[in-house]
Amino acid sequence: MRRLSLGHAREMTKARRELLPNTYQILSAKVKTSVLHNRKSTGGSAAPALSNGPWKLPAFAGSHASDAPRDLEEPAIDKGIRSSTKLQNSTTSTLFYSPPDTYWGQFDEISKYNVHLNVFERLWAAWYAFMQNDVLATGVMSFVMHELVYFGRSIPWMIIDRITYFNKYKIQNQKIPTAQEQWKCAQLVLLSHFTVELPQIWLFHPMAQYFGMATGVPFPKFLTMAYQIAVFFVLEDTWHYWNHRALHWGPLYKRIHKIHHQYSAPFGLAAEYASPIEVMMLGFGTIAPPILWCAVTGDLHILTMYIWIVCRLFQAIDAHSGYEFPWSLHHFLPIWAGAEHHDVHHERFIGNYSSSFRWWDYLMDTESGPEAAKKRRERRMAKDAKAQ
């Protein structure tokens, strides 16, 4: 199915608007015709003066309006306006309907001429057609989506922290964040979002579009988006492991990464509690894989990017939640890191550098925690016994 570009949709709307005659021109033409006709019927004289107002009949000697001449029962100009109104109404009901300059007006217009699109695709196309600027449309939608998802996913963990029943699932249950700690964290996170992440979000669209990122409709197939997001997870995890491990090198830890480790028992809202340099450094691992993919394959839709960002935010916030449940994902997908893996990193300040998966820590022998230490000792003992 041919993809409808948003620029093409706007051009179609503009063309239809240009085809609609100006209402004022229609009205003027009809009024002139009516006045000339009236002059001809009265022997070339001007129309009678309408002393009682433009839309009232002139005064006559008779006590009833019916005493007036038939051709003056309704002023000619009134007939012209009524006729013009009828013409305008009939015109607006035709193909050349010009919708109001509102979002829902654009939605109705797109829905009429693109019946093959589903409702979400129409809503999407209407947003870009309404904004008239792809960079602005993407920037506003991206930033609003990021804030809604980040705080929307963090709030449930804040509520759970206040419910004593869930304390048994808290990994470090002796350290429950206070409301003051969470408020202080939220302030720095908001500052970082507006000063560091907002410019990155704004620049993403022109960069990705330069490499051929699509923003039109229809949307790509589900399986296409799924395997692309899976690739992004693997690439981001690799970037995160090596850069996160580098940030634990003495000078970098002291000057950059120490802020993030202010909370030895993390909580969801603290996922992006970090210095601006770290936000840019590790955030690049989220933005770069889609751009690289688009540059190599030329196949990326911005909707795929949005879903990827949502998944990445959920992963980061849940990893910092500090809760380990029997239904946590790593119990069903052993390679998944999860909160248990990252909570140990915050508690011990070393090891477990990966974000989403466990394989880099396993391969590089940087796993942390009691079980990892036990396995490390067993391997060392086995190696020593073999050497003897």
Side-chain angles (χ1 to χ4, degrees):
M1 185 180 293
R2 183 182 177 184
R3 175 166 290 164
L4 173 67
S5 70
L6 301 176
H8 182 59
R10 282 197 292 268
E11 289 298 323
M12 290 171 62
T13 302
K14 182 179 178 182
R16 283 192 292 272
R17 288 181 177 178
E18 291 174 350
L19 287 172
L20 176 63
N22 184 276
T23 304
Y24 176 75
Q25 293 175 349
I26 297 173
L27 181 59
S28 299
K30 294 298 294 182
V31 169
K32 286 180 180 179
T33 303
S34 300
V35 171
L36 289 173
H37 176 74
N38 188 52
R39 284 183 178 180
K40 183 177 179 180
S41 64
T42 57
S45 60
L50 305 178
S51 58
N52 294 336
W55 313 119
K56 295 182 180 179
L57 292 174
F60 289 95
S63 59
H64 299 286
S66 60
D67 295 333
R70 183 172 183 81
D71 62 327
L72 294 179
E73 287 182 2
E74 183 178 12
I77 189 170
D78 195 20
K79 292 181 180 178
I81 291 173
R82 291 180 184 273
S83 178
S84 174
T85 302
K86 291 180 180 180
L87 177 60
Q88 181 183 356
N89 290 338
S90 64
T91 303
T92 55
S93 65
T94 63
L95 176 65
F96 308 112
Y97 171 72
S98 179
D101 291 330
T102 63
Y103 172 75
W104 292 112
Q106 295 288 352
F107 175 78
D108 291 338
E109 184 78 355
I110 290 171
S111 297
K112 282 199 302 183
Y113 301 103
N114 298 278
V115 294
H116 62 284
L117 301 177
N118 63 47
V119 65
F120 298 107
E121 292 168 337
R122 297 176 194 178
L123 290 169
W124 177 280
W127 169 251
Y128 278 89
F130 170 69
M131 292 298 290
Q132 295 292 314
N133 184 309
D134 289 357
V135 175
L136 182 63
T138 300
V140 171
M141 185 161 52
S142 301
F143 186 71
V144 171
M145 178 204 71
H146 181 275
E147 299 308 289
L148 289 176
V149 172
Y150 187 86
F151 289 100
R153 184 55 182 163
S154 298
I155 289 174
W157 293 118
M158 296 169 66
I159 296 173
I160 288 174
D161 282 335
R162 307 272 75 85
I163 302 175
T164 55
Y165 171 80
F166 292 102
N167 189 254
K168 60 184 178 181
Y169 298 114
K170 183 76 172 176
I171 299 171
Q172 300 183 56
N173 56 15
Q174 74 283 5
K175 298 178 181 179
I176 304 295
T178 65
Q180 184 179 3
E181 287 178 323
Q182 292 183 335
W183 171 240
K184 181 181 178 182
C185 175
Q187 288 177 307
L188 182 63
V189 167
L190 279 171
L191 179 64
S192 175
H193 285 182
F194 279 93
T195 59
V196 180
E197 295 192 22
L198 181 58
Q200 290 179 323
I201 289 173
W202 219 263
L203 290 172
F204 168 77
H205 182 100
M207 286 193 300
Q209 201 168 43
Y210 173 80
F211 290 110
M213 181 187 68
T215 57
V217 288
F219 295 146
K221 295 180 180 179
F222 173 79
L223 289 178
T224 300
M225 294 190 290
Y227 85 77
Q228 289 177 352
I229 291 171
V231 172
F232 299 160
F233 261 114
V234 173
L235 294 177
E236 189 282 330
D237 184 70
T238 302
W239 174 271
H240 192 281
Y241 174 85
W242 291 105
N243 283 271
H244 187 190
R245 186 173 178 178
L247 286 172
H248 276 263
W249 176 58
L252 293 181
Y253 180 85
K254 183 179 180 180
R255 292 177 173 82
I256 300 175
H257 193 50
K258 188 176 180 179
I259 296 175
H260 184 68
H261 276 275
Q262 180 176 330
Y263 303 107
S264 58
F267 48 93
L269 196 61
E272 293 184 353
Y273 183 86
S275 72
I277 296 175
E278 180 175 347
V279 171
M280 294 181 65
M281 188 175 176
L282 296 182
F284 184 77
T286 301
I287 300 298
I291 294 178
L292 179 63
W293 177 272
C294 186
V296 173
T297 67
D299 179 23
L300 178 67
H301 195 281
I302 194 170
L303 178 64
T304 307
M305 178 68 182
Y306 282 163
I307 298 175
W308 154 239
I309 294 295
V310 170
C311 293
R312 178 72 179 95
L313 286 173
F314 267 64
Q315 179 275 322
I317 293 167
D318 290 357
H320 286 83
S321 68
Y323 284 89
E324 167 67 11
F325 297 105
W327 55 85
S328 293
L329 182 58
H330 76 90
H331 292 298
F332 308 96
L333 186 65
I335 61 173
W336 188 253
E340 180 268 336
H341 181 267
H342 195 67
D343 202 276
V344 173
H345 171 79
H346 274 263
E347 184 181 16
R348 297 174 177 268
F349 298 94
I350 193 170
N352 290 7
Y353 300 114
S354 294
S355 59
S356 300
F357 306 107
R358 296 174 182 252
W359 51 55
W360 278 112
D361 284 300
Y362 175 79
L363 292 173
M364 305 308 299
D365 197 22
T366 54
E367 291 179 300
S368 184
E371 292 186 9
K374 180 181 178 182
K375 291 179 181 179
R376 197 173 288 113
R377 286 195 301 269
E378 290 175 352
R379 287 198 300 269
R380 189 181 301 114
M381 291 174 62
K383 185 177 180 180
D384 293 341
K386 188 176 182 180
Q388 292 177 358

